[in-house]
Structure formats: structure tokens, C-alpha cells
Amino acid sequence: MSTHTLTESILVNPVFAGLSQTEAEDLAHHCEVLLLPPERFIFKQGDTSSDIYVLFRGRLEINVRDMAGVNNKVGYLEEGEVFGEMGVLESCPRSASVSTAEDSVLLRIPGEGFTTMTASGHPAIHRLLQWSIHKACNRLRGLDTRLDHLFKEEDE
């Protein structure tokens, strides 16, 4: 994907809504596009966390290995999802494995690019973090709802 095409893809992606052409071009210079077929690992649980990803197109599967060493499918990521940020922000190993469930297009923001753009206060990083926080809050609300239902069932 050319830098021009990548810039256009960034500009229409809801994660980066509101970036200027120049800001999107700058982000594109720090990133890489991955075109992946189905059943390809992006990273595995326990891997070193160095990159953040945005799913532009496709669907991804999330698996977590339990204490017995069994991999358990825990969910899917859909277009527009940001992932991999927890490990990068916390400097800890990957907490899950992520693989492609179908042909997928991802934006990979390497750790160095992320660090450089963070240090300069780049608006793309601000948008990325806002989006990640918003999604994390939605996941927590969903978990709270499921826990409420679980405890209500136990009380009955």
C-alpha cells in the first residue's frame, strides 16, 4: 500500500477522525500495513509487547491459554478495533494470542514510532488513546453487566 493510499485509509478510519492531511501523512510514515491471510498469528500470548495495531479490515480471533495450557477462544476483534496497546503501555508481555479469522488488513504502529509520536504530542496518538480508553470502558461496562446478571442468578 502506498503512503498516499495509507494516508487516505487513516483519514477515513474512525480511530483517527479529525486528523489533518499532514498529521495523517506523518502517522503513515511511522507505520506499516499488514495484509494477512486467515489463520495467521499477529502475536502470541507471552510475546514481548512492542507494537500497537489497528484493524482496518477483516476479523481477528483472541485466544488465552489457561493454567492447564489449553487455548480458549475469548472473543473477536472487528474492523476499527485498536489492540496490543495494553502490553505496550504497561511494558509487559502479551496477555492473549491474536490471529486472523479471515483476510485482514492491519495498521502496525511500531513501538519506536509510537514512542516518537508520543514524545512529540502527535494528535494521532491522542486519538488512538482516546479510542482505546473508550473501548476499554465499553468492555468494562459489559463485564459489569455480565457480573451483575451472574450474581443475581446466584442470589435467586
Side-chain angles (χ1 to χ4, degrees), residues 70-135:
V70 177
N71 282 320
N72 299 285
K73 186 185 328 178
V74 296
Y76 289 94
L77 295 170
E78 306 292 338
E79 293 179 15
E81 295 277 350
V82 174
F83 65 100
E85 76 283 7
M86 284 178 14
V88 172
L89 294 171
E90 296 179 324
S91 297
C92 61
R94 298 294 186 190
S95 60
S97 296
V98 177
S99 60
T100 54
E102 59 188 48
D103 287 334
S104 299
V105 179
L106 293 88
L107 178 71
R108 182 177 78 88
I109 305 171
E112 292 174 14
F114 179 78
T115 301
T116 299
M117 289 186 293
T118 300
S120 71
H122 197 285
I125 299 305
H126 179 75
R127 301 265 194 279
L128 180 85
L129 293 175
Q130 276 184 315
W131 188 268
S132 296
I133 291 168
H134 173 73
K135 291 291 186 173

Side-chain angles (χ1 to χ4, degrees), residues 21-52:
Q21 179 78 25
T22 303
E23 292 164 343
E25 288 170 358
D26 189 42
L27 173 60
H29 288 292
H30 287 94
C31 298
E32 173 185 16
V33 173
L34 304 176
L35 308 171
L36 301 175
E39 299 181 19
R40 176 75 55 91
F41 277 101
I42 297 153
F43 53 76
K44 293 183 180 179
Q45 185 174 343
D47 285 354
T48 301
S49 300
S50 57
D51 305 324
I52 297 175

Side-chain angles (χ1 to χ4, degrees), residues 81 85 132 135-144 146:
E81 295 277 350
E85 76 283 7
S132 296
K135 291 291 186 173
C137 289
N138 285 341
R139 284 192 297 264
L140 283 172
R141 277 192 204 94
L143 180 59
D144 286 346
R146 289 192 304 256

